[in-house]
Amino acid sequence: MKVYSPSQTKSYLESPMGWYLHYVEGWSPKYLGRKELSGYLGSAFAKGMESYHTGGGDAESVLNAAMFELQTNLEKSFLAGYSVLPKEEVFYGNLSDHLRRLVDKGMNNSPIPSDWIIVGSEVVIPECGNCRLDLLVSTPVGITFVDYKSKVTLESGYLKDKVINEWSQDWQFYHYAWALKESQGVNVSEYHVALVIATGGVKPVLHTYPVDPELLLVWYDCARQTWTDMEECELGLRKPVWDFKLNSQYGPNPWNEAIINNHFHESLMSRNYVQRKRK
């Protein structure tokens, strides 16, 4: 059984057809929207925090590492034929400023307790779906991980509570807990999410969530079936299903054009999508 990454698995669970078109057929929406740009911002911030935790904490080098990651990813996308969605031009223009604020807060108001030992940063576990842990740490309760989450803004109230509560049963984090047990024999009893918000005066906050051992077993049963389904789709043994979702949390479903209007014809798909080399 092939083990897929947390990001691929979550993509499949959200939209099997979207996962198939993107990861197997190699298609991506031609326009970079809020989701894609936020992803680049988050990756750049994570690179900055990696530099901070492993390079001695020099402010200039940390910011440079983050900025280089952002610019490199954007340039690769533009060279591949992507462009920024017109309504997101303002957000795109502010990416560097947002990143600078995130890195400054992450360094000068670090939510990581001073008595925790940093075991590793950007730790990859290839045999468990290429899991990538932002931080592997040793705490008073044992070995666990910290995941950095960056937001440009997150107003207090229902939305903020919803986002924070969702991390308590997030597929990605249970995947990480399973991966540490599978690869290193570590029983993770709790994990942590370091939330850093670029705008406003809110300081970074470390949120802690317990790992339910019984729920982890349930997760693994679900994961094995999901990975089996994904592998069968990838091998052509079954067809991915269409979820018929017209909208996502970021707006219109980005695969609507491919399914409804283009009917998967490559000549039509190229109007709205960019295709990389297939697997």
Side-chain angles (χ1 to χ4, degrees):
M1 176 188 65
K2 180 177 179 178
V3 178
Y4 290 82
S5 69
S7 58
Q8 275 212 54
T9 310
K10 289 181 71 174
S11 175
Y12 178 84
L13 291 171
E14 291 170 359
S15 174
M17 184 64 76
W19 165 81
Y20 183 83
L21 288 171
H22 180 63
Y23 287 101
V24 181
E25 292 292 322
W27 293 102
S28 294
K30 182 175 290 186
Y31 291 104
L32 301 176
R34 181 64 60 98
K35 178 181 180 180
E36 292 76 23
L37 295 173
S38 295
Y40 289 156
L41 182 62
S43 296
F45 173 60
K47 180 61 68 174
M49 290 299 94
E50 178 188 9
S51 176
Y52 170 65
H53 288 294
T54 61
D58 175 72
E60 184 176 359
S61 62
V62 170
L63 182 59
N64 287 341
M67 288 294 182
F68 181 78
E69 180 76 5
L70 177 64
Q71 294 305 320
T72 298
N73 286 334
L74 287 170
E75 288 174 6
K76 286 181 179 179
S77 293
F78 296 147
L79 287 173
Y82 297 89
S83 59
V84 177
L85 196 66
K87 71 175 185 177
E88 299 297 350
E89 286 286 355
V90 173
F91 184 77
Y92 163 72
N94 291 327
L95 283 178
S96 294
D97 289 338
H98 293 324
L99 181 58
R100 187 173 290 105
R101 294 190 187 97
L102 287 169
V103 170
D104 180 69
K105 285 188 174 184
M107 290 180 56
N108 296 320
N109 297 281
S110 176
I112 310 301
S114 59
D115 61 337
W116 288 11
I117 299 173
I118 307 298
V119 179
S121 179
E122 292 294 300
V123 177
V124 180
I125 308 177
E127 66 271 29
C128 295
N130 282 316
C131 288
R132 184 181 295 272
L133 312 180
D134 288 346
L135 284 182
L136 184 63
V137 296
S138 178
T139 76
V141 300
I143 298 292
T144 186
F145 61 89
V146 177
D147 193 80
Y148 275 104
K149 292 294 185 186
S150 59
K151 300 286 184 182
V152 171
T153 183
L154 189 60
E155 301 296 334
S156 60
Y158 169 75
L159 180 58
K160 184 175 182 180
D161 291 341
K162 179 177 181 292
V163 169
I164 293 173
N165 288 336
E166 285 177 348
W167 292 332
S168 67
Q169 295 180 10
D170 188 279
W171 181 281
Q172 171 190 3
F173 301 140
Y174 268 75
H175 192 142
Y176 290 172
W178 166 78
L180 282 175
K181 181 176 179 61
E182 186 75 8
S183 64
Q184 302 182 25
V186 174
N187 289 307
V188 176
S189 61
E190 62 182 31
Y191 59 87
H192 311 274
V193 178
L195 175 60
V196 184
I197 302 173
T199 56
V202 182
K203 291 184 178 181
V205 177
L206 190 71
H207 296 276
T208 300
Y209 303 92
V211 175
D212 183 334
E214 292 186 6
L215 186 57
L216 186 58
L217 292 174
V218 173
W219 172 89
Y220 184 58
D221 284 340
C222 295
R224 286 191 302 173
Q225 184 60 60
T226 302
W227 294 331
T228 298
D229 294 344
M230 294 170 70
E231 187 172 22
E232 289 180 354
C233 287
E234 189 172 2
L235 295 174
L237 301 177
R238 62 180 294 176
K239 293 182 178 180
V241 299
W242 177 27
D243 52 23
F244 281 81
K245 293 179 181 177
L246 295 180
N247 294 285
S248 70
Q249 61 176 317
Y250 297 97
N253 186 329
W255 302 108
N256 283 348
E257 285 293 322
I259 300 169
I260 299 173
N261 297 325
N262 298 335
H263 302 290
F264 311 115
H265 294 301
E266 290 191 11
S267 60
L268 298 177
M269 291 276 287
S270 60
R271 297 180 304 184
N272 307 101
Y273 302 90
V274 173
Q275 188 177 32
R276 65 183 186 279
K277 185 178 180 181
R278 295 186 183 183
K279 292 184 177 181

